C-alpha cells in the first residue's frame, strides 16, 4: 500500500549441467524477473551470452505451425474462454499425433478457398470485359475474321458522324459509352482520326462466339455458384477450427512456454562450465524460490542476495488492496511509479470515483453505465479492458450515490429535494424552485482543489527524500513546503479582505494579513532557494485551484443537456399531443420518443467522457505534477500463468 | 447618453440582457478558443494513434487539456447568470 512491492536482487550461479532444471524451476514459480545480461567486451575471457537449449528449434517450428492454423481460423488465445484445462502430457502427445493432420486439413481447406476465390475473380473480370459489348446487338463472332473491313470497338465521349460508307452502333447505356464502327480497310486511317478527336479508347473484343449478354449471364451464374462453394468451405474451416480451438490454444500456450524456456539462456551470462543470472524476486517469495532451487539442484547452485543500488533498475509491481487494483490501469496510462517513490494508486482509487460522481451525479446515467460496465465484461476479454470496466463500475456506483444526494434522475428530480447542493437548472416552462446553488457548488469545488493540491505537495515532501540525497533533498523539501506556504498565504490574505461563504471569515482579524504576507514571502523564498526559475510557475497556484471548478461546470452542462432534451422531447413534442391524439400527433409522439432516446444516449456518452476524462485530468495534470515522477520498469516475471493447460 | 425616457424596469431589463450577452460571449469565445487548440492536438493525436495504438489513452487525455479554457468560460458565465 502506497509503496510498490519490495524486491530482492538475486544472483544465481550454477554449473551448466543444471541449467535445464533451474530454468524449469524458475519458470514454474513465475516470480523471477530476469535482468538481461549485456556483454561488456568481446574478449574471450569475458562472460558471454548463453546458447539456447537444443529443443528450441523444434518447439519454435511447431509453434509456427500452430500460429498459422490459429491465424487461418482467426483464433486469438487472449479472447478464448477457458472451457477445461488439458493435461500437458496429453497435449504433448497430441502435438506429435494430431497436429500434422489438423494442419494438413486446415491448409487444404484454406488452399481450396483461395483457388475458388481466384476463379471467382476471373469470372468477374470476364463479365466486366463483356459488359460494354452486351449493349450492342451483335454476336461476338461478327467482330472478327474480315479481310477487307476494319472493326473499331471502344469507349467514346459522344456519338460521331462518319463521312465514309460504314456500319455503326452507339450506346450510352454503359459507363463511358460504347461505339462499334465497321469500315472498309482503305478508310481506316481517316476514321481512326475522326474517332480519336472525340476521345476514342479501344476495348479489345473478348474471345468466344454468340451473344455477349448470354456469356455475361453465364459468368454471373458461375460467380454465384462459386460463392456458394466458398461459403461451404468457410463453414468447413469454421467447424474444424471450432472442434480444435481448445487444443490449439493449449498447444500455443505449451509451446510458447517451451520456446521461452529454451531461449532463456540467451538472457544469461555464461563461462565455459557455468552460467550466471541476475534478477529480481518479490521480498515475500524470495526465500521460497531459493529453497526450491537448492532442493531441485541438490545444492549444486550458488545464490547471493545483492544490494539494491539504483532504484531505476528495479522492476515495479503494484501492491494494493483488491478494490484499488483496477485503478492501476489508470496509473499505467500515465506512468508506472518508480521503485522508491510513493505509489498513489490508492488515493486515485478513492478520489477518482468521487470526482466522477460529483460530475455525473445522476441515478439514471449511473445505472446505465453500471449496467454497461457489467454487461460488457462478458465481451471484453483482455485484462486491461476488464480493469477499466471495473473502474467504470465503481465510478458509476459513486455516480448513483451522488445522484441520490443531488436528487437527479435523467435531469428530473427524485421525490426529495437535493440533500447537498442543488443542480436543478430553470429550464423549460414548468421550471420552479430556487434554481441551482452555483456559488455553493463552486466553493465546494475550490475547497476540493485546495485540499487535493495541498495533499499533492505534502506527498511531494515525502517523495523528496526518495528522489534526492543530502543537501538537495533538504532543498526539495523546503521548496515543496514553500509552495504550500505561498498558496495558504494567498488564501489567508483573500479571507482577510473578503468575507466568502463557506470559507473562514477573517475580515475582522488584521493579524491574518500579516500571517498571510509572512507565509507568502517565506513560501516564495522557499521556492526560489531550490530554483529561481520555478517562480514563473507561481500563477499556476491560482489556475490549478480554479481548474477544479470543472467538477461543477462539466456536471452542470450535462444536467443542462438532460433537461433540454426532456423539455424538447416531452414538454414540447409529446405532452401537447397527448391531450388530444390525432394521426399527425402520433407521428410527433414517435419522433419525440426518438429525440428523448437519442438525446439521453448522447448525454450518457458525453457524461462518461466528461466525467471520466476530466476526473482523470485533474489527477494527471493538477495532482501528479506536484509529487509524481513515474517511469518505473514493469515487473515481468519469467514464467506463465497457465490458462489452458495443467501439468 | 442617459435617455430621459427610460424607466427603472427598462434599465433593469437591459442590464439582464447585457448579463446574458456577457455570459454568451464568455462561453462562445472560449469555446472557439478550445476548439482551435484541440484541432491541432486532435489531428496530431490521431496520427500518433495510427502509428502506435498504445498511446491512445495518453493522447485522448492531451486532447482534453485545452478544454480548461472553455470550462473557465463556463464558470464565468454561470457566475454571471446566477
Amino acid at each position: 500500500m502506497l509503496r510498490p512491492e519490495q524486491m530482492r536482487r538475486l544472483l544465481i550461479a550454477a554449473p551448466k549441467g543444471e541449467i535445464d532444471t533451474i530454468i524449469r524451476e524458475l519458470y514454474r514459480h513465475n516470480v523471477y524477473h530476469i535482468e538481461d545480461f549485456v556483454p561488456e567486451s568481446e574478449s574471450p575471457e569475458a562472460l558471454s551470452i548463453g546458447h539456447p537449449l537444443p529443443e528450441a528449434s523444434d518447439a519454435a517450428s511447431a509453434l509456427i505451425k500452430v500460429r498459422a492454423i490459429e491465424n487461418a481460423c482467426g483464433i486469438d488465445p487472449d479472447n478464448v474462454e477457458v472451457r477445461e484445462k488439458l493435461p500437458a502430457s496429453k497435449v504433448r502427445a497430441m502435438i506429435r499425433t494430431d497436429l500434422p493432420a489438423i494442419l494438413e486439413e486446415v491448409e487444404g481447406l484454406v488452399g481450396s478457398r483461395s483457388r475458388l476465390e481466384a476463379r471467382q475473380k476471373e469470372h468477374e473480370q470476364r463479365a466486366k470485359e463483356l459488359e460494354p459489348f452486351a449493349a450492342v446487338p451483335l454476336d461476338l463472332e461478327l467482330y472478327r475474321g474480315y479481310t477487307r473491313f476494319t472493326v473499331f470497338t471502344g469507349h467514346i465521349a459522344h456519338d460521331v458522324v462518319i463521312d465514309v460508307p460504314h456500319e455503326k452502333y452507339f450506346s450510352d447505356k454503359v459507363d463511358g459509352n460504347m461505339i462499334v464502327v465497321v469500315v472498309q480497310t482503305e478508310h481506316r486511317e481517316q476514321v481512326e482520326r475522326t474517332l480519336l478527336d472525340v476521345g476514342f479508347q479501344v476495348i479489345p473484343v473478348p474471345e468466344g462466339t454468340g451473344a455477349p449478354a448470354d456469356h455475361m449471364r453465364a459468368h454471373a451464374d458461375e460467380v454465384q455458384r462459386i460463392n456458394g462453394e466458398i461459403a461451404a468451405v468457410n463453414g468447413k474451416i469454421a467447424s474444424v477450427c471450432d472442434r480444435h480451438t481448445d487444443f490449439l490454444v493449449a498447444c500455443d500456450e505449451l509451446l510458447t512456454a517451451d520456446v521461452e524456456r529454451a531461449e532463456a539462456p540467451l538472457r544469461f551470462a555464461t563461462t565455459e562450465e557455468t552460467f550466471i543470472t541476475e534478477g529480481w524476486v518479490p521480498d515475500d517469495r524470495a526465500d521460497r524460490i531459493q529453497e526450491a532451487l537448492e532442493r531441485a539442484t541438490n545444492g549444486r547452485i550458488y545464490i547471493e542476495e545483492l544490494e539494491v543500488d539504483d532504484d531505476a533498475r528495479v522492476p515495479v509491481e503494484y501492491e494494493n488492496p483488491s478494490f484499488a487494483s483496477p485503478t492501476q490501469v489508470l496509473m499505467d496510462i500515465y506512468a508506472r511509479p518508480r521503485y522508491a517513490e510513493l505509489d498513489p494508486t490508492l488515493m486515485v482509487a478513492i478520489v477518482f470515483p468521487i470526482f466522477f460522481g460529483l460530475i455525473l451525479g445522476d441515478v439514471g446515467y449511473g445505472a446505465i453505465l453500471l449496467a454497461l460496465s457489467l454487461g460488457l465484461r462478458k465481451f471484453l476479454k483482455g485484462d486491461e479492458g476488464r480493469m477499466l470496466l471495473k473502474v467504470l463500475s465503481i465510478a458509476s456506483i459513486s455516480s448513483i450515490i451522488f445522484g441520490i444526494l443531488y436528487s437527479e434522475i435523467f435531469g428530473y428530480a427524485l421525490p426529495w429535494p437535493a440533500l447537498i447542493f442543488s443542480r436543478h437548472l430553470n429550464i423549460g416552462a414548468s421550471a420552479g424552485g430556487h434554481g441551482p446553488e452555483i456559488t455553493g457548488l463552486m466553493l465546494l469545488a475550490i475547497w476540493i482543489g485546495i485540499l487535493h493540491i495541498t495533499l499533492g505537495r505534502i506527498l511531494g515532501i515525502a517523495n523528496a527524500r526518495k528522489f534526492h540525497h543530502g543537501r538537495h533533498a533538504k532543498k526539495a523539501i523546503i521548496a515543496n513546503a514553500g509552495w504550500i506556504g505561498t498558496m495558504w498565504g494567498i488564501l489567508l490574505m483573500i479571507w482577510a479582505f473578503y468575507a466568502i461563504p463557506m470559507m473562514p471569515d477573517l475580515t475582522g482579524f488584521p493579524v491574518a494579513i500579516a500571517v498571510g504576507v509572512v507565509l507568502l514571502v517565506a513560501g516564495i523564498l522557499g521556492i526560489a532557494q531550490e530554483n529561481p526559475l520555478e517562480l514563473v510557475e507561481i500563477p499556476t497556484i491560482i489556475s490549478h485551484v480554479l481548474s477544479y471548478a470543472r467538477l461543477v461546470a462539466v456536471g452542470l452542462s450535462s444536467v443542462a443537456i438532460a433537461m433540454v432534451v426532456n423539455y424538447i422531447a416531452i414538454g414540447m413534442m409529446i405532452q401537447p399531443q397527448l391531450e388530444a391524439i390525432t394521426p399527425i400527433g402520433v407521428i410527433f409522439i414517435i419522433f419525440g420518443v426518438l429525440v428523448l432516446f437519442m438525446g439521453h444516449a448522447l448525454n450518457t456518452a458525453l457524461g462518461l467522457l466528461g466525467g471520466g476524462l476530466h476526473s482523470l485530468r485533474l489527477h494527471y495534470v493538477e495532482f501528479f505534477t506536484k509529487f509524481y515522477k513515474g517511469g518505473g520498469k514493469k515487473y515481468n516475471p519469467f514464467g506463465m500463468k497457465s490458462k489452458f493447460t495443467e501439468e | 447618453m442617459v435617455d430621459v425616457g427610460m424607466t427603472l424596469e427598462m434599465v433593469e431589463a437591459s442590464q439582464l440582457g447585457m448579463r446574458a450577452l456577457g455570459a454568451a460571449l464568455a462561453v462562445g469565445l472560449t469555446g472557439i478558443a478550445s476548439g482551435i487548440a484541440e484541432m491541432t492536438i486532435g489531428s496530431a493525436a490521431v496520427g500518433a494513434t495510427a502509428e502506435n495504438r498504445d498511446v491512445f489513452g495518453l493522447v485522448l487525455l492531451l486532447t482534453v487539456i485545452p478544454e480548461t479554457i472553455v470550462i473557465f468560460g463556463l464558470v464565468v458565465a454561470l457566475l454571471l447568470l446566477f
Side-chain angles (χ1 to χ4, degrees):
Chain A
M1 231 189 295
L2 293 181
R3 282 297 310 276
E5 226 178 307
Q6 291 296 306
M7 291 281 169
R8 280 205 238 165
R9 185 172 167 203
L10 295 185
L11 180 139
I12 298 171
K16 269 188 175 163
E18 299 291 341
I19 197 163
D20 199 32
T21 329
I22 291 173
I23 289 175
R24 253 171 206 293
E25 202 60 19
L26 289 175
Y27 200 83
R28 200 166 63 80
H29 279 79
N30 191 18
V31 291
Y32 183 72
H33 176 106
I34 302 177
E35 184 116 330
D36 287 355
F37 167 70
V38 185
E40 277 155 13
S41 68
E42 295 284 319
S43 72
E45 299 93 62
L47 295 170
S48 60
I49 293 180
H51 296 288
L53 301 181
E55 63 262 32
S57 61
D58 282 353
S61 64
L63 185 60
I64 288 170
K65 279 184 209 151
V66 172
R67 294 258 165 94
I69 304 175
E70 284 181 342
N71 233 343
C73 296
I75 300 172
D76 181 1
D78 288 342
N79 294 338
V80 173
E81 237 8 275
V82 187
R83 265 178 278 189
E84 51 162 345
K85 285 197 172 188
L86 299 172
S89 52
K90 193 177 152 203
V91 176
R92 266 183 219 290
M94 280 170 79
I95 288 175
R96 272 193 305 278
T97 55
D98 293 15
L99 188 61
I102 297 172
L103 181 68
E104 202 176 324
E105 193 177 358
V106 172
E107 267 179 353
L109 286 170
V110 170
S112 62
R113 180 173 65 186
S114 51
R115 274 195 299 281
L116 284 171
E117 277 169 351
R119 263 176 54 204
Q120 192 186 27
K121 278 259 163 57
E122 206 182 300
H123 283 296
E124 277 171 359
Q125 182 62 32
R126 286 271 171 77
K128 212 167 156 230
E129 281 167 6
L130 280 165
E131 203 187 336
F133 291 90
V136 179
L138 290 175
D139 284 353
L140 286 174
E141 66 265 26
L142 296 179
Y143 287 99
R144 63 175 87 82
Y146 303 110
T147 44
R148 292 186 47 223
F149 294 102
T150 301
V151 183
F152 293 98
T153 54
H155 293 309
I156 198 156
H158 54 78
D159 203 357
V160 283
V161 180
I162 291 160
D163 39 16
V164 294
H166 69 281
E167 191 178 343
K168 186 182 79 176
Y169 299 91
F170 176 79
S171 166
D172 52 8
K173 300 277 186 306
V174 287
D175 269 353
N177 305 335
M178 177 68 185
I179 195 164
V180 176
V181 181
V182 185
V183 291
Q184 285 169 323
T185 304
E186 61 253 40
H187 299 308
R188 181 195 164 135
E189 273 176 31
Q190 188 191 344
V191 173
E192 197 168 14
R193 217 171 303 124
T194 322
L195 287 171
L196 284 173
D197 283 346
V198 279
F200 177 72
Q201 279 175 308
V202 180
I203 317 173
V205 181
E207 298 289 317
T209 56
D214 292 346
H215 280 286
M216 249 176 84
R217 222 165 299 126
H219 283 304
D221 289 347
E222 193 67 6
V223 167
Q224 278 300 324
R225 198 181 58 75
I226 295 176
N227 246 343
E229 278 180 38
I230 289 177
V233 173
N234 273 339
K236 266 189 216 160
I237 293 179
S239 84
V240 171
C241 292
D242 207 42
R243 212 164 48 231
H244 297 298
T245 300
D246 287 349
F247 168 63
L248 286 172
V249 289
C251 277
D252 188 328
E253 184 176 290
L254 203 68
L255 290 170
T256 308
D258 282 352
V259 170
E260 268 181 35
R261 268 199 297 260
E263 287 178 351
L266 290 171
R267 309 167 71 182
F268 296 165
T270 54
T271 63
E272 231 153 82
E273 296 299 331
T274 59
F275 75 94
I276 304 166
T277 160
E278 232 183 270
W280 303 88
V281 180
D283 189 44
D284 50 348
R285 276 162 286 180
D287 291 331
R288 213 179 321 150
I289 184 130
Q290 286 188 37
E291 271 169 38
L293 284 172
E294 291 197 4
R295 209 167 339 112
T297 55
N298 287 324
R300 282 158 55 82
I301 187 170
Y302 170 77
I303 303 176
E304 189 188 329
E305 205 177 312
L306 302 174
E307 225 167 277
V308 181
D309 44 7
D310 177 13
D311 82 291
R313 279 178 60 197
V314 188
V316 174
E317 173 70 348
Y318 293 105
E319 192 178 29
N320 285 305
S322 60
F323 85 92
S325 47
T327 316
Q328 288 158 6
V329 70
L330 299 183
M331 295 298 303
D332 277 340
I333 291 175
Y334 188 82
R336 197 168 268 246
R338 271 177 49 176
Y339 182 64
E341 79 183 319
L342 284 168
D343 170 14
T345 313
L346 188 65
M347 277 170 268
V348 180
I350 295 169
V351 179
F352 176 79
I354 295 178
F355 282 3
F356 190 90
L358 268 171
I359 292 175
L360 190 76
D362 188 299
V363 177
Y365 294 140
I368 288 182
L369 289 182
L370 184 62
L372 206 68
S373 59
L374 294 179
L376 279 180
R377 219 172 262 190
K378 282 215 177 71
F379 301 100
L380 228 67
K381 304 251 165 59
D383 263 355
E384 265 189 20
R386 287 207 171 156
M387 275 160 99
L388 266 181
L389 285 182
K390 270 185 201 153
V391 174
L392 178 62
S393 55
I394 296 171
S396 42
I397 289 169
S398 152
S399 172
I400 293 174
I401 293 171
F402 274 92
I404 293 168
L405 294 176
Y406 284 139
S407 173
E408 276 175 31
I409 179 162
F410 293 121
Y412 283 113
L414 288 163
W416 54 82
L419 302 175
I420 47 171
F421 302 97
S422 159
R423 301 199 299 178
H424 300 288
L425 298 158
N426 291 326
I427 289 175
S430 59
H434 39 235
E437 293 164 57
I438 300 282
T439 328
L441 280 166
M442 212 65 98
L443 287 170
L444 175 74
I446 299 295
W447 262 122
I448 291 173
I450 293 170
L451 297 178
H452 205 219
I453 288 175
T454 309
L455 175 67
R457 287 289 173 202
I458 292 172
L459 295 177
I461 293 177
N463 262 348
R465 281 231 166 276
K466 315 259 164 66
F467 289 136
H468 311 288
H469 299 288
R471 265 184 52 217
H472 201 148
K474 204 174 283 169
K475 275 189 175 176
I477 290 172
I478 295 173
N480 271 303
W483 282 104
I484 298 178
T486 313
M487 184 167 87
W488 284 90
I490 294 173
L491 278 174
L492 278 178
M493 290 197 315
I494 292 175
W495 291 339
F497 284 114
Y498 305 100
I500 302 171
M502 292 173 60
M503 289 195 171
D505 178 7
L506 301 175
T507 42
F509 305 93
V511 75
I513 303 176
V515 176
V517 171
V518 170
L519 271 178
L520 180 67
V521 173
I524 289 175
L525 289 176
I527 298 166
Q529 55 84 36
E530 195 202 12
N531 185 357
L533 281 179
E534 289 272 303
L535 290 177
V536 299
E537 294 276 323
I538 283 180
T540 61
I541 290 179
I542 292 164
S543 69
H544 279 184
V545 170
L546 279 184
S547 182
Y548 283 78
R550 74 184 64 232
L551 291 176
V552 179
V554 177
L556 272 177
S557 63
S558 107
V559 177
I561 293 172
M563 294 179 94
V564 167
V565 167
N566 287 341
Y567 179 55
I568 293 176
I570 295 177
M572 286 165 70
M573 298 172 89
I574 299 177
Q575 225 161 28
Q577 302 300 333
L578 282 178
E579 282 160 15
I581 292 178
T582 57
I584 297 174
V586 173
I587 297 172
F588 259 89
I589 291 172
I590 292 169
F591 195 63
V593 171
L594 212 68
V595 169
L596 191 69
F597 274 103
M598 293 277 287
H600 281 300
L602 180 80
N603 203 21
T604 313
L606 276 178
L608 176 63
L609 273 182
L613 287 183
H614 283 287
S615 315
L616 213 55
R617 182 219 127 100
L618 282 178
H619 279 97
Y620 288 172
V621 181
E622 270 80 21
F623 187 49
F624 283 178
T625 48
K626 307 290 182 289
F627 66 98
Y628 190 64
K629 279 225 169 62
K633 258 197 304 186
K634 191 176 177 204
Y635 168 66
N636 187 10
F638 176 62
M640 185 196 285
K641 244 199 194 147
S642 53
K643 232 168 97 184
F644 305 110
T645 56
E646 57 191 0
E647 286 295 326
Chain B
M1 272 300 283
V2 178
D3 190 342
V4 196
M6 259 179 129
T7 63
L8 188 63
E9 289 83 53
M10 284 164 78
V11 173
E12 272 176 359
S14 80
Q15 278 178 346
L16 203 69
M18 283 296 185
R19 246 174 33 188
L21 216 56
L25 280 176
V27 175
L29 291 178
T30 48
I32 292 171
S34 309
I36 292 170
E38 273 178 32
M39 175 177 70
T40 25
I41 301 175
S43 55
V46 171
T49 316
E51 292 263 330
N52 179 4
R53 277 287 288 136
D54 295 344
V55 298
F56 177 73
L58 188 69
V59 295
L60 188 66
L61 212 89
L62 290 176
T63 316
V64 298
I65 280 182
E67 230 151 79
T68 315
I69 310 169
V70 72
I71 281 164
F72 285 163
L74 194 60
V75 168
V76 169
L78 289 172
L79 288 176
L80 275 174
L81 286 179
F82 295 101

